[in-house]
Amino acid sequence: MKKRVVITGMGIVTSLGAGIDITASALRASRAAIGPITSFDTSKHKTNQGGEVGVEILESVIYKDKQFHLDRATKLLLRACKDALNDARLLTQQGEYIKAPLVVGTTLGGICSGQNFHRAMLLKEDTQKYARFLGDALACHQPFHVASILGILGETIVLNNACASGLSAIGCAFERVRLGKSTVVIAGGYDGMSDFAHAGFNTLQLVTSDKCRPFDKNRSGLLLGEGAGVVIVEELEHAMKRNATIHGEIIGFGQSSDAYHITKPDPEAQEAASAIRNAIEEAGVTPESIDYINAHGTGTPSNDSMETKAISNVLGEYAKRVPVSSTKPFTGHLLGAAGATEVIFSIISMQQNNIPENLNYITPDPECDLNLVTGGSRDQELKMVLTTSFGFGGSNAAMVLRKFA
Amino acid sequence: MEKDFVITGVGFLGNWGVGKKDFIRFLRGEGVPVSIEEVDFDAYIDVPSVRRADYISCCALTAAKFALEDAGMLPISKEKSNRIGAILGTVHGALYYTIEYHASLVLGDPKLASPLLFSDSVANAAVSHISTGLGIRGYSTTVPGYCGVTQALKLGIELIQQGVIDVCLVGGADVNHDFLTKAYRGCLCSPELIVNTFGGSGCLVIESLSHAIKRKAKIYAKIDGVSIITASYAVASCYNISPLQDLLNEANIELRDNDCFLNMSFDDEDSLCRRDLFLPKFSRHHFISLDCSSSFGYGFAAAEAFQIILGVLGVDSEEYLSSFKGINTNKPPNRIFITRTTLAGTNSCALFSHCS
C-alpha cells in the first residue's frame, strides 16, 4: 500500500535571506531582493542585476574544523540542509549520524570552483595553487561535502534536469517514501551564482535588461539568482510517531520530456501538460481542488506562453479562475534550486493563507490569460497548491501539495 | 508491484571501437584505442541536432540507439513514447563544450560566445539529445556521480515499479579530454599518478520480466539487486563500507560457490583491498579486477557502463569473460556481482544472473 508523505523540515537560502520567517515576510510584503551582482564582472553583459545571496549568509556556513575548500553552491546547500534538519529536529551532534538518503538537484554544481582552476590553466598561472578547488567542482561533490559535515550516512543522489532539477529531486524523494523504500529522505535543489551561467543565459538572449515580468505582454526575459531549498520528506506514520511538526503533505508528482528541442519548450505544451495531469491524477484530486498555482513563470516569452497553454490544457475553463503567480521576480531564477525553493514558497503560502504577488506585472497578454495575482499579495484560504518546473531539454515536472489535516 | 527486472538490450561504443566484436578484442587487449574525435557518428545516427553537439551527446545518443535497436524497440511510436524513460549517469558531463565555452569567456568577448556551447554544456544535454533524437517522452534525467550508472539502474527499476514507465533506457557516458588528466593530477592523492582516461557510452534497456516476455524480447540477464552507499569520509578517497552486505540483506541473497565478482579498482594493490572488502571468503568465488589505471582506463561513467555491460553479457555468453584468468570458460557464470568503490565514498554493488 502506498504511504502518505509529509514535509517535516524546511531550509531555504535565497537573496531574500536565510530562513522561513524572513522569506515568508518578504513574500507577504511583495519585497523582492534583486540588485547589482558583485561576485563577478558583469560589465560585458546585458544586465548587472540578479538575486545574489549576502556574504554574511555564505560566511555563516564556513566550518573551521574542515580544511577543504567549499564551493559557493556547497555553502548554500549546506546552510539550507542544516536548517531543514534542525527544523525537523533531526540534526545530529558531532560524531553522530543520520541514516537517510540525500537527493538533490542542480544545474551547474560547483561550476565556480571548476572555473577557477580552468582560468588558471588558460592564463598559465600555477594550477597547483587552484587544485584544491577541484575537490568541489563536480556536481556530485556538493552533497558529499554536506553529508560529510552534517553526518548524513546513506545514498546521495544528484539529479540534473536543468531548471526542473530541484522539483525532480523532491519528486524522487516523494516516490521513494511513498513506495516504502525510505522513511525519511533529505531532498532539495541548489545552484550558486556564476559568471558561466550569467554569460550563458545572456548569450542565449534569455536575460532581460528590464525587470523580470512573468506573463506580462512586455516580458523580455529572466534575471538569475542563487540559492538552495531543502525539505525533509517523511512517511506520515514515522513523523507522527516522533511528534514531528508537519508543514504540509505531498500528494502527487508528475514528470515528462518534450522530446522537442534542446533549449526551446514545445510551444504546443503537450508534455508539460502531461506532467501536470499526471501530478493531479496521482494526487487523486480534481483540477478544481487546486487553490493556487506557483508557476515556473520565468518571464521569457516562450516559457510563459507555453506554460499558460499547459495549465489551460489540463485545467480547462478553471485555468482562468485559479490564482497564479510566479515568485521568480522576488529572487531571480535559481536554476536547480528553483523547483525546491518554490515547493517551500508553496508551503509557506498555505501556512500563511496568503498568495504571493506576481510582481512587476503591468500589461495583460492575451496569450497568458491566467488569473494572475497583482496589486499585492492576496489573503485566501489555501488547501492545495500546484507547483511547476520546466527546464532545458524539455524537462517538465509538477507537484501537488496539500495542507496537512 | 513488479519484482523481476531484466536487461533486454545493450549498446555501447568508445574509443576502443564500436559494438560487441570490438569490445571482445578490447577485453583481450587486441584493440587499438582511437580518439573519440575520430569516430564517424554520422555512420550510425541520422539526427541533425546532434551533429553540432558535444562528443558526450554523440556517444550517448549512438549507444542509446544501439541499445533500443538491440531490444527491438525502434522506432518508438507516439503512443508508447510516454511509457519509456531515459536516465544517464555521468561524472564530467559535456566537458568539451564546457571547456570551450569557458575559454571563450576568459580569452574572448562573452558577447561573441556561441549560445550552442552553453546550452550543450549543461549536464543533462546528452539525455535531452537522446529523448529528442529518439522520441522518448517519459521520465528522463541525468545522474551526475561516480556510481551514476548504477544509480540510474536503481532509479529506472523504481520508476517501473511505481508504474511511471514500462521501459527504461539506462546508461552512462563520459569523454576523455586533456583537461581531465591535468585536473586529476592536480587533485588526486597521488599527483604523480598518470591518469589514463578513455571515453564513450554504454546503454542498457531494462523492463519487467513480464513485459519482456509479453513482447517476446531477448533477455540477456536478470537484475537480482542493486545497492549504493555513500560514506561521508573524504572526497578523493574510497571508504571501507560494503554495499555488498546491504544488497545481500535487502534482496535476501546468499553467496554461492562460483559466483563471479567483477570489480573496478584503481590499481592492483587497491584491487586486493577491494577483494578483501567485498569477499571475506573470496577463495570460493571468481574475482576479476578491471584495473582503471591500465586496460580499462579512468573512463568514469563510460567505464562503469562497460563494466555493467560486461557483467550482463558475461552471464549470457562465455565469450566475454574468457580473457580473464581463473574463469572456467566452458560455461558463463550464473551470477555476476558488479562492484565499485569510488571517489567521494560512493560504493555500489549490482547483481545480474542468467535468465533461462
Side-chain angles (χ1 to χ4, degrees):
Chain A
M1 200 172 84
K2 289 185 175 173
K3 313 274 187 187
R4 282 181 73 181
V5 184
V6 292
I7 291 176
T8 55
M10 300 192 289
I12 187 166
V13 184
T14 66
S15 57
L16 296 172
I20 300 301
D21 292 346
I22 199 166
T23 305
S25 65
L27 292 176
R28 181 176 269 280
S30 297
R31 192 171 60 241
I34 299 293
I37 295 167
T38 57
S39 57
F40 53 85
D41 177 18
T42 55
S43 59
K44 290 183 179 170
H45 300 300
K46 205 170 177 179
T47 181
N48 68 347
Q49 296 290 297
E52 227 170 29
V53 171
V55 177
E56 69 288 354
I57 294 173
L58 290 167
E59 283 180 355
S60 74
V61 291
I62 292 173
Y63 280 68
K64 289 185 177 127
D65 57 326
K66 299 283 178 185
Q67 294 304 308
F68 44 72
H69 159 81
L70 292 184
D71 188 88
R72 192 178 180 95
T74 311
K75 291 177 184 176
L76 296 167
L77 178 63
L78 179 56
R79 175 65 192 262
C81 213
K82 191 183 173 196
D83 287 355
L85 284 168
N86 200 27
D87 185 36
R89 290 185 284 108
L90 291 171
L91 195 62
T92 55
Q93 300 298 311
Q94 186 91 24
E96 294 176 352
Y97 290 96
I98 168 173
K99 198 166 183 195
L102 174 61
V103 188
V104 291
T106 183
T107 302
L108 289 163
I111 190 75
C112 292
S113 300
Q115 276 182 269
N116 283 335
F117 182 83
H118 188 230
R119 184 180 289 112
M121 266 177 71
L122 292 169
L123 301 176
K124 303 200 186 314
E125 292 172 5
D126 176 15
T127 49
Q128 277 300 318
K129 197 175 129 191
Y130 294 94
R132 67 194 179 95
F133 286 105
L134 288 169
D136 204 12
L138 296 174
C140 55
H141 289 167
Q142 292 86 51
F144 167 78
H145 283 308
V146 169
S148 165
I149 292 166
L150 298 178
I152 299 165
L153 194 62
E155 183 186 356
T156 61
I157 306 172
V158 187
L159 298 177
N160 187 319
N161 273 355
C163 303
S165 301
L167 193 54
S168 277
I170 297 175
C172 176
F174 162 66
E175 301 289 7
R176 201 162 261 210
V177 175
R178 195 169 166 88
L179 273 186
K181 299 212 175 244
S182 304
T183 47
V184 178
V185 181
I186 305 155
Y190 66 97
D191 259 311
M193 183 75 91
S194 66
D195 50 351
F196 188 90
H198 192 71
F201 280 88
N202 269 273
T203 313
L204 286 165
Q205 308 289 323
L206 293 174
V207 173
T208 181
S209 53
D210 182 23
K211 287 180 175 173
C212 173
R213 304 180 189 280
F215 303 106
D216 188 285
K217 191 175 184 187
N218 299 317
R219 66 189 180 278
S220 52
L222 53 82
L223 291 173
L224 287 172
E226 65 180 340
V230 173
V231 292
I232 307 302
V233 180
E234 189 166 354
E235 197 259 306
L236 174 63
E237 210 172 300
H238 187 267
M240 290 183 88
K241 212 175 268 178
R242 66 178 193 88
N243 288 323
T245 305
I246 295 171
H247 297 301
E249 184 174 5
I250 307 176
I251 55 173
F253 176 66
Q255 191 154 309
S256 66
S257 307
D258 279 356
Y260 177 75
H261 190 269
I262 197 81
T263 52
K264 292 178 199 157
D266 178 0
E268 293 308 314
Q270 283 184 10
E271 294 309 320
S274 142
I276 296 173
R277 192 175 296 112
N278 290 344
I280 293 174
E281 276 176 13
E282 185 172 21
V285 298
T286 60
E288 289 75 19
S289 324
I290 307 287
D291 296 314
Y292 160 57
I293 299 175
N294 183 300
H296 187 59
T298 56
T300 60
S302 55
N303 175 83
D304 294 0
S305 54
M306 178 282 294
E307 188 168 5
T308 304
K309 211 172 259 186
I311 292 169
S312 303
N313 186 327
V314 182
L315 273 63
E317 273 302 303
Y318 183 61
K320 292 189 172 68
R321 302 203 305 277
V322 61
V324 178
S325 67
S326 163
T327 38
K328 289 196 170 59
F330 284 86
T331 59
H333 189 343
L334 308 186
L335 306 180
T341 52
E342 285 157 18
V343 163
I344 295 174
F345 292 160
S346 301
I347 298 275
I348 290 173
S349 301
M350 283 194 287
Q351 288 176 332
Q352 295 199 118
N353 286 318
N354 179 267
I355 305 174
E357 183 182 353
N358 190 77
L359 290 177
N360 307 326
Y361 182 84
I362 299 170
T363 314
D365 179 357
E367 282 192 13
C368 302
D369 53 346
L370 299 168
N371 177 16
L372 295 158
V373 179
T374 57
S377 65
R378 186 186 297 173
D379 286 331
Q380 184 182 314
E381 166 85 21
L382 297 177
K383 289 182 181 160
M384 210 177 288
V385 176
L386 170 76
T387 181
T388 56
S389 281
F390 308 106
F392 277 179
S395 298
N396 310 307
M399 182 172 276
V400 181
L401 299 144
R402 184 165 61 190
K403 191 180 270 180
F404 181 70
Chain B
M1 197 190 297
E2 293 285 356
K3 283 184 178 167
D4 296 324
F5 298 91
V6 292
I7 309 277
T8 55
V10 293
F12 43 99
L13 83 158
N15 51 355
W16 44 267
V18 177
K20 293 176 189 171
K21 278 185 185 167
D22 282 356
F23 194 45
I24 290 170
R25 276 180 32 214
F26 160 73
L27 293 173
R28 288 179 180 154
E30 295 163 5
V32 181
V34 295
S35 165
I36 206 77
E37 296 168 35
E38 292 170 40
V39 176
D40 178 15
F41 292 101
D42 280 345
Y44 310 110
I45 44 173
D46 183 23
V47 180
S49 64
V50 88
R51 285 204 184 110
R52 293 184 301 147
D54 190 287
Y55 287 112
I56 193 172
S57 296
C58 299
C59 289
L61 178 57
T62 309
K65 188 190 168 203
F66 288 165
L68 287 166
E69 260 173 5
D70 190 37
M73 300 202 67
L74 287 182
I76 295 169
S77 65
K78 186 86 190 280
E79 300 76 56
K80 287 184 179 168
S81 63
N82 285 306
R83 303 297 303 166
I84 303 175
I87 309 176
L88 196 71
T90 184
V91 176
H92 301 106
L95 204 53
Y96 277 80
Y97 278 16
T98 304
I99 285 169
E100 200 177 332
Y101 185 71
H102 188 240
S104 70
L105 299 184
V106 174
L107 304 174
D109 183 347
K111 285 180 185 153
L112 301 176
S114 161
L116 174 77
L117 291 179
F118 175 70
S119 58
D120 258 45
S121 71
V122 178
N124 77 325
V127 82
S128 303
H129 278 294
I130 290 175
S131 63
T132 305
L134 301 176
I136 293 173
R137 292 184 171 80
Y139 182 105
S140 80
T141 195
T142 303
V143 186
Y146 293 108
C147 290
V149 188
T150 315
Q151 288 189 311
L153 189 67
K154 192 175 173 185
L155 271 177
I157 290 171
E158 285 176 1
L159 288 165
I160 298 171
Q161 275 183 331
Q162 289 157 18
V164 174
I165 48 174
D166 298 322
V167 176
C168 194
L169 178 92
V170 299
D174 265 309
V175 286
N176 51 337
H177 193 288
D178 278 354
F179 175 79
L180 284 182
T181 311
K182 288 172 185 162
Y184 277 88
R185 270 182 188 157
C187 81
L188 280 177
C189 307
S190 315
E192 73 283 359
L193 194 70
I194 296 169
V195 182
N196 167 28
T197 65
F198 80 159
S201 176
C203 289
L204 307 108
V205 175
I206 63 169
E207 56 192 299
S208 68
L209 177 63
S210 58
H211 192 268
I213 289 172
K214 200 171 168 185
R215 65 177 197 90
K216 295 178 182 160
K218 172 184 166 50
I219 296 171
Y220 284 101
K222 186 165 165 281
I223 308 165
D224 289 329
V226 184
S227 178
I228 297 145
I229 286 182
T230 309
S232 316
Y233 178 61
V235 78
S237 305
C238 304
Y239 189 64
N240 286 356
I241 283 186
S242 171
L244 171 65
Q245 199 55 53
D246 255 30
L247 187 145
L248 296 178
N249 295 344
E250 197 177 303
N252 201 16
I253 293 168
E254 283 187 9
L255 287 182
R256 295 182 201 148
D257 287 357
N258 294 321
D259 276 344
C260 179
F261 280 73
L262 206 53
N263 182 60
M264 186 70 84
S265 68
F266 287 95
D267 51 41
D268 285 344
E269 198 180 321
D270 182 69
S271 166
L272 289 174
C273 162
R274 300 302 137 218
R275 185 178 66 180
D276 292 345
L277 166 62
F278 281 106
L279 285 175
K281 297 171 187 169
F282 61 86
S283 58
R284 289 162 54 207
H285 311 285
H286 298 299
F287 189 86
I288 300 172
S289 172
L290 304 172
D291 189 351
C292 283
S293 59
S294 56
S295 60
F296 236 65
Y298 280 90
F300 298 99
E304 186 186 4
F306 297 142
Q307 183 191 6
I308 291 171
I309 287 172
L310 180 56
V312 168
L313 296 176
V315 291
D316 186 57
S317 159
E318 70 279 6
E319 282 180 292
Y320 296 92
L321 300 181
S322 59
S323 58
F324 296 102
K325 286 176 190 168
I327 294 291
N328 176 1
T329 56
N330 293 332
K331 61 174 187 172
N334 276 328
R335 303 201 309 183
I336 296 185
F337 287 85
I338 305 293
T339 56
R340 292 175 67 77
T341 43
T342 63
L343 298 177
T346 315
N347 306 331
S348 68
C349 188
L351 174 59
F352 299 100
S353 65
H354 182 70
C355 190
S356 50

